[in-house]
Amino acid sequence: DSLEGLQQVMSVHVFAVWDFMLILKALQRKLTCVERTWIPAESSVVCRFINEIVLAEESDEVVAGEYMSHFELYLQAMREVGADRTMIESFVGQLRQGVSVVEAMNKVELSEAVQSFIAFTLEVIDMPVHQVAAVFLFGRESIIPEMFSVFLEKLTREQQEKAPLFRLYLERHIQLDSEDHGPMGRRTLELLCGSNASKWQDVLNVAKI
């Protein structure tokens, strides 16, 4: 309900923005080929869906002729409103030096809530691919449009004036996730599970977590 409140939220939420890419890139590794020796994906449809989502999330054309990841857009939005970027920049800096995610979290002394959130994602990305896809869909893509729409509606006039890039970030995800990425994620999960009841039970179990 204030610019200061928005600054505090963004300084924590930025780790969820980074964490999102952990799941997405795990799916890309599992469902496409990113190895030195290329082999065709098992499903060209799923490969297309994942690569298309990665394209937008990792190198979106946020304005005409300007490309950046949504993480980078978020960092710019944080700078715009004066949100503290010290912890996220220190965290990414540790990762660039080859430090593990767990070590980086400890060195930066992230809050218990943030560490718990990321730790769960680290468990997820080592799960079978249909479970990773389930968390990606039900824990990210399918809930973001409604969540961000509510957030956008609650932004005060001061916040909207001070944070046009944050508004752009919210609006871009509401559009992409509701119209494109959400349906792609759902179709990917359907193709991965098919008529396998055991896999659908796995999906249900991990989605509840």
Side-chain angles (χ1 to χ4, degrees), residues 72-84:
E72 292 169 302
L73 173 61
Y74 201 91
L75 289 180
Q76 288 193 14
M78 290 179 70
R79 182 187 295 114
E80 184 177 66
V81 302
D84 187 0

Side-chain angles (χ1 to χ4, degrees), residues 144-161:
I144 285 176
E146 183 177 356
M147 179 175 64
F148 280 7
S149 293
V150 173
F151 202 173
L152 189 59
E153 291 171 2
K154 291 187 176 181
L155 284 179
T156 64
R157 180 175 297 179
E158 178 190 19
Q159 290 169 336
Q160 292 188 36
E161 292 175 350

Side-chain angles (χ1 to χ4, degrees), residues 190-203:
E190 291 171 351
L191 289 170
L192 290 175
C193 293
S195 59
N196 189 315
S198 178
K199 286 186 176 180
W200 282 113
Q201 186 60 52
D202 290 341
V203 165

Side-chain angles (χ1 to χ4, degrees), residues 31 40-51 191:
L31 296 173
E42 291 187 14
S43 169
S44 295
V45 175
V46 169
C47 180
R48 168 69 186 222
F49 286 165
I50 298 304
N51 281 334
L191 289 170

Side-chain angles (χ1 to χ4, degrees), residues 21-129:
M21 293 303 297
L22 282 184
I23 297 182
L24 178 56
K25 297 300 281 189
L27 286 173
Q28 188 179 39
R29 288 193 303 274
K30 292 171 183 286
L31 296 173
T32 74
C33 183
V34 292
E35 304 300 328
R36 181 176 181 180
T37 301
W38 182 83
I39 55 175
E42 291 187 14
S43 169
S44 295
V45 175
V46 169
C47 180
R48 168 69 186 222
F49 286 165
I50 298 304
N51 281 334
E52 192 165 329
I53 296 173
V54 169
L55 176 65
E57 294 291 344
E58 198 169 34
S59 55
D60 197 12
E61 188 173 13
V62 293
V63 295
E66 185 174 350
Y67 303 91
M68 68 179 71
S69 68
H70 289 168
F71 176 75
E72 292 169 302
L73 173 61
Y74 201 91
L75 289 180
Q76 288 193 14
M78 290 179 70
R79 182 187 295 114
E80 184 177 66
V81 302
D84 187 0
R85 307 195 320 172
T86 304
M87 295 191 76
I88 186 62
E89 289 181 344
S90 177
F91 176 71
V92 173
Q94 293 288 330
L95 298 179
R96 289 190 187 280
Q97 294 175 31
V99 174
S100 72
V101 174
V102 174
E103 288 179 295
M105 288 194 294
N106 290 330
K107 287 187 176 183
V108 179
E109 298 182 346
L110 298 183
S111 70
E112 183 178 343
V114 172
Q115 291 205 40
S116 177
F117 187 85
I118 295 176
F120 173 67
T121 301
L122 292 176
E123 292 180 16
V124 167
I125 62 178
D126 288 329
M127 293 178 179
V129 67

